[in-house]
Amino acid sequence: MKLILNYLSIHLKVSLEYRLPFFFSLVSQVLYMFIELFAVYALFSKFNLLGVYSIDEILLSFSTVWFAFAFSEMFLRGFDNFARLIVNGSLDLLLVRPRNIYLQIFGSDICYEKLSRLLAALGLFIYSSGKLIKHFTIGKVLLLGNMLLGGIILFMGLFIIGATFCFYTIQGIEVVNVITDGGKQFAEYPMRIYKKSLRLVFTFVIPITIINYYPIDYLMGNTTNIMYIFLPLLTFIVLLLSINVFNFGLRKYHSTGS
Amino acid sequence: MRGYLKYFKTELMVGLQYKAAAIAGICTQLFWGFLFCLLYEAFYSYANVDAITYREVITYVWLMQAFFSLIYIKIEDAEIIGKIKSGTVAYELCRPYNIYFWWFVRLLSRKYAHTLLKSFPVFVFAFMLPSAYRLSFPISFEALILFIITIILGSFIVVGISMLIHIISFFTLESKGIASIIASIGGVLSGMAVPVPLLPLVLINITKYLPFRLIGDTSFRIYSGNIGIIEAKQTIILQLIWVVILIGFGLLLLNKALKKVCLQGG
Amino acid sequence: MSYISVKHLNKEFKVAQRGSGLKNAFKSLIKRKYKIIKAVDDISFDIEKGEIVGYIGPNGAGKSTTIKMLCGILKSDSGAMKVAGFDPFKDRVKYVKNIGVVFGQKSQLWWDIPVIDSFELLKSIYKISDEEYNKTKDELVKLLELENLLSTPVRQLSLGQRMRAEIAASLLHNPKILFLDEPTIGLDAVSKLEVRRFIKEINRKRQVTVILTSHDMTDIEALTNRVIVIGHGKKLYDGTLTGIKKKFSSGRRLEIIYRDLVNEPVIKGTKIIEKGNNKVVLDVNIDEISISSVIKKYTDVCDIEDVNIINEDIDNIIVKLYKGYDL
């Protein structure tokens, strides 16, 4: 725990070493998110769908995914840029230290520039859920918490799976971003707009529907099934799976060194 | 002129070396193209939009993926700005060519190298897809010719803007943040987020006074027939005007930047 | 049992082979050809506590593979390794508390922040107690002369200063073994001397066992007399540096300045390299004739004003050694 705080403070120090660029990055990061949001909104209004989908539903779908994504971008930067860690030999350095490797990869890079996105997404989430939910119940509040938590867990898993690819090939690793960025891109729209077959892919392959599509159903009162409240936590399966896959890759690294 | 052409060729050959990265790039582009197809399919299943048809949007999506490297605005050459800041740019000034155009050619050749590597496989793939997601052929031969002319002129505009970003970052002593702010806004106005005809009316009106939509958006729409031949020809004139403005402005700013370096003594 | 004991260590790598050209690039995506390379081939050695050992060999000889196995990063294919009572790979997490590693090319210090902040972070990574940390830190700061550098951001340090800070960082947790990979790469002459002096001091004062790789033979020569030479994954030599010199430097170079020489003596086992102006330079094959006999032959025929024995440059000897093993 002390080490985590230490990592957090050391990276903050690094960020504040260059104040002006850091400030511009904060602005540009959050600007980019709002531009995406704007594009989503633009499409819904062009297709006259704002009656079918309320602005709050759009906002809530969008902010859930972006919160989870920004969280992972900020704190899992080491996994996001894992190729660099391998190429420049940093991974070897981490492996000669007597600490958990996941903890050290987390500590290798923390991207405070994403903080603006994270907070803005959280703000949108709170605002839109407050407006979307007609009658608050404990279950719904609990579900909101689970959506945030589940989102973080899911994207953690996706980032770790992405990093695992780097054990096998370093070249052209941008393909990996397809999983994370692509998932985000799909799910920033309310997912009931998609065909059912596509939704199934995003339930059973990349289970992104369970962090916003199904929970929003519950929040809007379309269902009262209690199971929905805990659905987002199933993302744990993805995280467990990804850790196993990553450990497997790490073993390969231990035996081939590349 | 000959020197610039030679330089263009050399840089192009260098760029074509990075095949593995290109293969990965192609996969990425295909994935995103497919993703956007599914997204627009969803929207068009609810309603139609007068400004642009489903077929035209699908074509738009695939052309954008094929020419992504060409139309994407980003800082590509941090070396340039590093040279200006450190003062080593003085060496460049000794060479018998105009420094602005030399760098212009360099940025341009990189874009073409990436595009040449990626676009062909994307085309092949997109032409073979099931009809709902397939890239259509150009609406007419004339449209194809106009498409080629406008996409080339569009690449000049992108590089002109990139050059400006590079040069501005010299004055602000900061490059990443400002560049990505400009790139984000430019991206929306050039149809990277959603095709320009699908933007809100206010924004469409704004794009008319800016160069961004001339980068890819107009060309893609000429290809599919969303923009007619007459308007396409007018586009070319507009593009030429913007190329002159951007290059002129870039030259002016670069000279100012260089003077500042000289005064500081490098 | 020795402190570090390596027995019949083996490590093979599969290396993908690929022709050039776009066609081959696509081909290799589908089907790859592999070549097996023996990076480490039946290597054994023992190192005692407190020794400094130079581990040398040309690029690609298997040096860093061995070091990585000794650090527990890589798993060996076969063979046994015991370092300070641990199996480096199996007991990795426990074991690495006992080692310090400096990779010359890869910094463990944070580039943009003062040195002391990096130290503090390492303190919590290694869970060093406040008391122990302060003691070790003060000692190292004094030893490596870091007083004025602690609050400076790493990016503002010179290369030599940075290497000193690196070494201190790798010693904060009081390791018993220090691995140094190219510690003087890129340093100027003065900094090299300093770094060498510090390594020696640390070895002496803290009884740290040091294993270092370097391409700079003067480093090795200044620091240790024990070297292990490897090439193509095989151990070629293990012994003293003087031993190598004896074995591979076939001769000594002798410079004689004389007066009143009438006839140049012809001496078997020598070769004249340069002559003139009352001076002669010869290579002496010491297997055939001793240096003193050569000098004696000259004193017989002339007055000798001065004699210089020039030892062959250690770099040359190593080149010969590599050539001798066809590397």
Side-chain angles (χ1 to χ4, degrees):
Chain A
M1 194 60 209
K2 205 180 143 217
L3 184 58
I4 292 177
L5 289 177
N6 219 322
Y7 277 136
L8 288 173
S9 84
I10 208 157
H11 284 287
L12 189 61
K13 268 185 201 160
V14 173
S15 296
L16 294 179
E17 197 66 20
Y18 303 95
R19 267 160 229 252
L20 190 65
F22 179 61
F23 173 75
F24 275 116
S25 295
L26 280 175
V27 174
S28 80
Q29 291 295 336
V30 77
L31 183 72
Y32 180 77
M33 186 182 91
F34 279 110
I35 282 172
E36 287 277 312
L37 177 60
F38 179 76
V40 174
Y41 173 79
L43 281 181
F44 277 95
S45 76
K46 267 283 168 189
F47 286 86
N48 286 320
L49 288 173
L50 287 175
V52 188
Y53 298 84
S54 73
I55 190 81
D56 301 314
E57 183 183 353
I58 295 169
L59 275 179
L60 188 58
S61 306
F62 183 91
S63 59
T64 312
V65 170
W66 272 84
F67 173 81
F69 185 67
F71 185 92
S72 298
E73 274 192 306
M74 182 168 166
F75 295 107
L76 272 66
R77 179 82 159 181
F79 290 95
D80 205 8
N81 279 344
F82 197 61
R84 208 186 57 198
L85 235 53
I86 291 185
V87 173
N88 72 13
S90 302
L91 184 63
D92 288 341
L93 212 55
L94 301 185
L95 287 172
V96 296
R97 287 179 184 156
R99 279 308 187 89
N100 181 293
I101 191 70
Y102 290 92
L103 186 64
Q104 290 196 73
I105 296 172
F106 148 77
S108 71
D109 202 355
I110 294 163
C111 186
Y112 278 95
E113 291 165 13
K114 310 287 180 188
L115 192 64
S116 56
R117 263 186 201 181
L118 188 71
L119 294 178
L122 186 62
L124 283 179
F125 180 86
I126 293 168
Y127 168 82
S128 58
S129 59
K131 287 193 66 180
L132 187 73
I133 300 170
K134 299 281 172 331
H135 308 285
F136 271 94
T137 61
I138 295 172
K140 283 180 183 170
V141 175
L142 196 60
L143 176 57
L144 286 175
N146 285 346
M147 283 165 76
L148 294 180
L149 189 64
I152 289 173
I153 295 168
L154 174 65
F155 273 90
M156 263 189 186
L158 295 182
F159 272 67
I160 292 173
I161 288 174
T164 309
F165 279 99
C166 303
F167 287 122
Y168 297 90
T169 174
I170 310 273
Q171 281 178 315
I173 213 64
E174 66 201 89
V175 182
V176 169
N177 293 344
V178 159
I179 308 174
T180 48
D181 286 17
K184 179 209 77 193
Q185 193 74 31
F186 253 110
E188 68 184 28
Y189 297 86
M191 297 195 84
R192 68 184 161 107
I193 187 168
Y194 297 115
K195 278 194 289 197
K196 194 165 180 222
S197 55
L198 197 58
R199 271 207 307 270
L200 288 179
V201 171
F202 279 94
T203 304
F204 294 105
V205 183
I206 303 176
I208 214 158
T209 50
I210 67 175
I211 65 162
N212 64 1
Y213 172 71
Y214 293 111
I216 286 175
D217 248 8
Y218 185 89
L219 294 177
M220 288 170 69
N222 297 340
T223 173
T224 49
N225 188 339
I226 282 224
M227 295 306 284
Y228 274 54
I229 297 172
F230 301 99
L231 202 57
L233 299 182
L234 284 181
T235 47
F236 245 113
I237 298 169
V238 176
L239 184 62
L240 281 178
L241 202 72
S242 70
I243 287 177
N244 272 305
V245 172
F246 188 84
N247 285 343
F248 185 80
L250 197 62
R251 269 202 294 283
K252 186 207 164 251
Y253 182 82
H254 274 306
S255 70
T256 63
S258 59
Chain B
M1 195 60 199
R2 237 189 157 167
Y4 294 115
L5 271 177
K6 185 101 208 289
Y7 184 51
F8 180 76
K9 254 172 100 179
T10 320
E11 284 277 335
L12 199 61
M13 291 313 288
V14 172
L16 288 173
Q17 302 287 315
Y18 301 101
K19 284 163 214 139
I23 292 168
I26 292 163
C27 298
T28 314
Q29 242 67 67
L30 292 179
F31 173 85
W32 284 106
F34 203 61
L35 189 148
F36 281 117
C37 284
L38 293 173
L39 183 68
Y40 289 119
E41 187 192 23
F43 275 104
Y44 277 92
S45 71
Y46 287 93
N48 275 318
V49 177
D50 294 336
I52 187 163
T53 66
Y54 174 66
R55 279 250 63 85
E56 288 165 354
V57 168
I58 295 298
T59 301
Y60 193 111
V61 164
W62 285 118
L63 290 176
M64 176 146 85
Q65 296 309 318
F67 291 97
F68 188 80
S69 309
L70 201 64
I71 61 178
Y72 186 45
I73 308 167
K74 66 167 192 187
I75 287 257
E76 300 192 55
D77 196 355
E79 209 185 317
I80 297 184
I81 209 64
K83 273 185 178 166
I84 300 181
K85 275 184 196 164
S86 67
T88 44
V89 71
Y91 298 110
E92 303 284 328
L93 291 174
C94 301
R95 296 195 185 153
Y97 48 70
N98 180 294
I99 191 171
Y100 178 87
F101 289 111
W102 190 258
W103 274 332
F104 192 94
V105 167
R106 179 178 165 129
L107 291 184
L108 198 65
S109 54
R110 287 186 185 187
K111 281 192 168 298
Y112 276 93
H114 290 153
T115 311
L116 283 177
L117 279 171
K118 284 187 193 172
S119 60
F120 184 65
V122 174
F123 268 110
V124 171
F125 179 83
F127 276 131
M128 292 189 316
L129 285 171
S131 65
Y133 311 120
R134 190 186 300 154
L135 169 63
S136 319
F137 288 106
I139 193 89
S140 66
F141 183 71
E142 208 180 0
L144 177 66
I145 299 295
L146 287 166
F147 166 75
I148 293 170
I149 296 172
T150 51
I151 197 92
I152 291 173
L153 284 172
S155 70
F156 282 61
I157 294 178
V158 179
V159 175
I161 293 170
S162 282
M163 287 293 290
L164 275 182
I165 297 176
H166 281 106
I167 299 165
I168 288 170
S169 72
F170 165 76
F171 291 101
T172 55
L173 292 172
E174 192 279 332
S175 50
K176 226 176 90 202
I178 291 182
S180 50
I181 290 173
I182 296 178
S184 302
I185 295 171
V188 176
L189 298 178
S190 63
M192 302 281 282
V194 294
V196 171
L198 291 178
L199 287 174
L201 216 54
V202 197
L203 273 193
I204 295 180
N205 285 329
I206 294 175
T207 61
K208 285 183 182 155
Y209 302 99
L210 291 168
F212 298 105
R213 81 186 162 98
L214 300 171
I215 294 168
D217 178 77
T218 36
S219 309
F220 303 153
R221 286 157 63 196
I222 290 168
Y223 178 101
S224 66
N226 184 267
I227 289 181
I229 298 295
I230 298 165
E231 203 188 328
K233 286 177 181 160
Q234 291 165 350
T235 302
I236 294 178
I237 297 168
L238 214 53
Q239 281 181 314
L240 284 171
I241 295 171
W242 271 112
V243 168
V244 172
I245 293 174
L246 286 168
I247 292 180
F249 199 44
L251 276 168
L252 204 77
L253 271 182
L254 184 65
N255 279 336
K256 258 200 166 146
L258 291 176
K259 257 189 208 132
K260 207 171 152 195
V261 173
C262 292
L263 283 179
Q264 286 168 348
Chain C
M1 185 122 170
S2 314
Y3 196 56
I4 300 177
S5 134
V6 174
K7 289 206 165 50
H8 306 294
L9 197 65
N10 280 296
K11 183 79 206 166
E12 283 177 355
F13 288 128
K14 262 207 276 185
V15 180
Q17 280 186 310
R18 197 172 78 184
S20 58
L22 195 62
K23 206 175 120 200
N24 282 318
F26 277 109
K27 243 192 205 164
S28 67
L29 279 180
I30 303 154
K31 199 183 161 193
R32 287 192 182 199
K33 278 187 190 156
Y34 290 101
K35 198 170 89 183
I36 297 215
I37 289 181
K38 286 196 160 178
V40 170
D41 189 355
D42 195 33
I43 283 186
S44 308
F45 56 79
D46 290 284
I47 294 171
E48 297 305 327
K49 197 169 166 52
E51 259 192 291
I52 301 184
V53 177
Y55 198 64
I56 61 175
N59 283 329
K63 281 185 313 236
S64 55
T65 308
T66 320
I67 298 284
K68 279 184 183 174
M69 285 194 277
L70 281 170
C71 293
I73 298 170
L74 265 184
K75 189 175 175 242
S76 60
D77 291 341
S78 66
M81 245 194 299
K82 251 319 188 244
V83 185
F86 294 95
D87 178 322
F89 186 74
K90 277 193 200 128
D91 315 322
R92 188 173 60 83
V93 177
K94 259 188 266 163
Y95 163 71
V96 291
K97 276 182 200 159
N98 298 287
I99 63 168
V101 184
V102 176
F103 295 117
Q105 321 253 28
K106 175 70 211 149
S107 177
Q108 52 191 325
L109 303 169
W110 261 256
W111 184 248
D112 285 315
I113 49 173
V115 178
I116 188 73
D117 287 322
S118 293
F119 283 8
E120 299 274 346
L121 185 70
L122 286 166
K123 171 177 179 275
S124 52
I125 287 177
Y126 283 99
K127 298 182 184 164
I128 310 169
S129 70
D130 290 340
E131 191 190 354
E132 202 191 328
Y133 169 75
N134 286 327
K135 194 171 144 250
T136 320
K137 189 193 73 187
D138 291 344
E139 252 178 67
L140 287 171
V141 164
K142 223 171 115 194
L143 191 68
L144 291 158
E145 293 166 13
L146 294 171
E147 289 91 351
N148 304 317
L149 308 180
L150 282 181
S151 49
T152 318
V154 176
R155 63 167 189 278
Q156 288 169 14
L157 299 181
S158 74
L159 216 52
Q161 291 170 331
R162 205 193 312 160
M163 187 47 70
R164 267 149 54 196
E166 288 286 347
I167 293 176
S170 66
L171 288 168
L172 280 173
H173 58 290
N174 248 322
K176 300 186 188 101
I177 305 163
L178 182 61
F179 293 94
L180 296 168
D181 189 18
E182 300 277 350
T184 62
I185 198 160
L187 299 189
D188 62 53
V190 180
S191 313
K192 264 188 195 179
L193 288 179
E194 277 183 349
V195 166
R196 284 177 201 156
R197 187 165 62 81
F198 293 133
I199 294 173
K200 265 192 163 160
E201 294 248 311
I202 288 155
N203 167 257
R204 198 169 51 82
K205 283 200 179 147
R206 308 177 70 93
Q207 278 299 301
V208 176
T209 311
V210 179
I211 296 178
L212 89 155
T213 72
S214 181
H215 282 294
D216 185 345
M217 285 311 299
T218 45
D219 271 353
I220 309 278
E221 201 171 17
L223 284 169
T224 172
N225 203 17
R226 162 110 187 255
V227 286
I228 297 172
V229 184
I230 69 164
H232 288 325
K234 287 200 175 64
K235 188 169 89 171
L236 305 178
Y237 179 86
D238 183 353
T240 60
L241 206 54
T242 354
I244 296 193
K245 280 187 195 165
K246 253 193 196 146
K247 203 166 161 193
F248 287 93
S249 136
S250 44
R252 296 278 194 280
R253 187 162 285 185
L254 205 57
E255 188 185 73
I256 303 173
I257 296 168
Y258 49 73
R259 244 188 348 225
D260 311 326
L261 175 77
V262 186
N263 270 331
E264 189 82 46
V266 179
I267 308 166
K268 210 173 153 247
T270 67
K271 204 173 107 198
I272 293 174
I273 302 292
E274 200 187 318
K275 209 177 99 173
N277 225 356
N278 287 342
K279 186 178 123 184
V280 66
V281 182
L282 344 115
D283 271 348
V284 182
N285 186 340
I286 47 175
D287 293 337
E288 286 185 50
I289 187 164
S290 71
I291 301 272
S292 58
S293 325
V294 177
I295 297 173
K296 192 158 175 299
K297 292 241 158 130
Y298 270 89
T299 33
D300 288 348
V301 292
C302 63
D303 282 342
I304 291 182
E305 280 198 339
D306 198 4
V307 176
N308 285 318
I309 302 172
I310 306 159
N311 278 328
E312 193 172 354
D313 190 355
I314 183 74
D315 279 329
N316 283 334
I317 297 173
I318 295 299
V319 169
K320 273 191 196 164
L321 185 146
Y322 290 167
K323 270 191 190 152
Y325 286 102
D326 205 18
L327 293 179

